[in-house]
Amino acid sequence: MKLGVSTYSLFQALKSGEMDIMAVIDWIADQGGEHVEIVPLGYDLPGNFELADRIREKAASRGIEISNYAIGANFLTDSEEAYQQEIERVKGEVDLAARLGVKKMRHDVAQSADRSIANFNKQLDRMAEACRQIADYALTYGITTSVENHGYFVQHSDRVQALIQAVDRPNFRTTLDVGNFMCADENSVAAVKNNISYASMVHIKDFYLRPSHQNPGQGWFQTLQGNYLRGAIVGHGDIDMRAVLRVIKDSGYDGYISLEFEGMEECRTGTLIGLQNIKRLWEDIE
């Protein structure tokens, strides 16, 4: 297991201008992170190959790996032309991932106001074809692409599996986010058991959970079934994190684990405590 941090965890500091991406990489290395996951939020990276070179060189100079490049995408477009344009845009992001030197890349797949299983089944072939074309392109670089359980429409563990099986490419897997299953009202431990064998990358995230009839007010968002979530420091929230990490460890997964912090606490404090908690819990599991 190689433990590191998504740059998304430091989004507060990036957005405010307190840190730039180079300072984030330094900070992660200083905390003992073994890798950095590049998420282009809070800095302008898409199409910027010069910055990609600087990021790659900075990480190498600090002795940490760049594990993954994670971007958004949506293949449920209004026209065939827009569909093809989105595929080509994501292929361009694959080129940038290769410039970063990564062998793993996550792209989103779809957003839809109609989140029903009927609509998912209707759109599955279209989504799979786009992912297949991008995976085939990424293979020329030796890159494994993946879908994250993210964005409500492709968030349930079974829907993620259905897409992976429809794409039917060995280099198309899932970036498994242990917290995001809660957005689809799935128990994290059960969902991780379902999907850990398909994981090319693992995100560790925690949430506080409240039922739909107990609106906690500002700072919370709703799940598909109307329950309430708020980002938490890993180990402080309502996910049984010890059980989740036991499932991951017992599965034999030995790849990158990336901390994602999106709580209300100061981002460096929240990220550091989360890192410490993951290390402690992982070491405690026999």
Side-chain angles (χ1 to χ4, degrees):
M1 184 271 285
K2 293 182 179 179
L3 179 59
V5 177
S6 166
T7 61
Y8 175 61
S9 299
L10 285 301
F11 178 66
Q12 287 178 9
L14 284 162
K15 185 179 179 181
S16 70
E18 295 174 65
M19 302 177 80
D20 62 13
I21 184 57
M22 302 305 163
V24 167
I25 293 170
D26 275 330
W27 187 90
I28 292 169
D30 289 344
Q31 313 316 311
E34 297 175 273
H35 67 88
V36 55
E37 180 181 14
I38 300 299
V39 181
L41 292 172
Y43 53 103
D44 188 16
L45 182 56
N48 191 339
F49 286 85
E50 180 183 353
L51 180 56
D53 290 341
R54 290 174 54 215
I55 289 171
R56 186 188 68 246
E57 291 161 4
K58 180 67 170 180
S61 75
R62 293 306 313 269
I64 65 174
E65 300 175 37
I66 303 177
S67 54
N68 191 45
Y69 179 47
I71 65 157
N74 181 17
F75 302 115
L76 298 190
T77 58
D78 293 333
S79 68
E80 182 63 25
E81 180 183 7
Y83 176 73
Q84 293 300 330
Q85 287 175 347
E86 183 71 340
I87 291 171
E88 292 306 311
R89 182 189 69 82
V90 176
K91 286 181 180 179
E93 295 279 40
V94 173
D95 295 335
L96 191 140
R99 193 71 167 254
L100 285 167
V102 301
K103 293 300 180 184
K104 299 182 189 301
M105 176 181 158
R106 183 220 85 181
H107 62 79
D108 288 332
V109 174
Q111 301 170 23
S112 177
D114 181 355
R115 297 162 176 167
S116 67
I117 187 64
N119 191 41
F120 174 83
N121 288 335
K122 178 182 176 181
Q123 303 292 349
L124 181 57
D125 288 347
R126 185 173 184 80
M127 295 187 296
E129 177 57 25
C131 295
R132 194 177 300 121
Q133 289 186 36
I134 293 160
D136 288 345
Y137 183 75
L139 188 61
T140 65
Y141 290 111
I143 291 174
T144 293
T145 55
S146 63
V147 58
E148 186 171 346
N149 50 309
H150 179 253
Y152 293 107
F153 191 58
V154 190
Q155 192 138 11
H156 313 71
S157 58
D158 286 349
R159 292 192 188 188
V160 170
Q161 283 189 40
L163 179 62
I164 292 169
Q165 290 160 11
V167 173
D168 193 25
R169 291 294 188 270
N171 68 317
F172 184 74
R173 309 280 286 170
T174 184
T175 289
L176 188 158
D177 188 304
V178 307
N180 281 350
F181 291 114
M182 294 178 73
C183 303
D185 300 283
E186 277 194 278
N187 174 272
S188 288
V189 178
V192 171
K193 285 181 180 179
N194 256 1
N195 279 18
I196 187 60
S197 64
Y198 298 91
S200 60
M201 182 84 187
V202 171
H203 286 173
I204 302 295
K205 179 191 295 174
D206 208 347
F207 283 120
Y208 298 108
L209 173 67
R210 298 292 183 271
S212 60
H213 61 276
Q214 293 181 9
N215 184 347
Q218 187 175 352
W220 298 69
F221 67 96
Q222 287 186 282
T223 70
L224 280 170
Q225 299 304 321
N227 296 307
Y228 290 92
L229 296 177
R230 178 163 75 82
I233 293 171
V234 171
H236 289 191
D238 292 318
I239 293 176
D240 187 346
M241 199 59 67
R242 184 182 297 272
V244 163
L245 290 172
R246 183 181 298 279
V247 170
I248 296 167
K249 193 169 187 178
D250 287 351
S251 76
Y253 178 84
D254 195 32
Y256 297 113
I257 289 181
S258 188
L259 169 65
E260 277 198 344
F261 168 72
E262 56 181 47
M264 296 178 72
E265 297 84 354
E266 195 281 325
C267 61
R268 281 156 289 198
T269 299
T271 301
L272 179 56
I273 295 171
L275 269 177
Q276 293 168 341
N277 283 340
I278 295 170
K279 289 179 182 177
R280 176 176 54 83
L281 291 169
W282 188 270
E283 290 168 1
D284 285 349
I285 297 167
E286 297 179 355

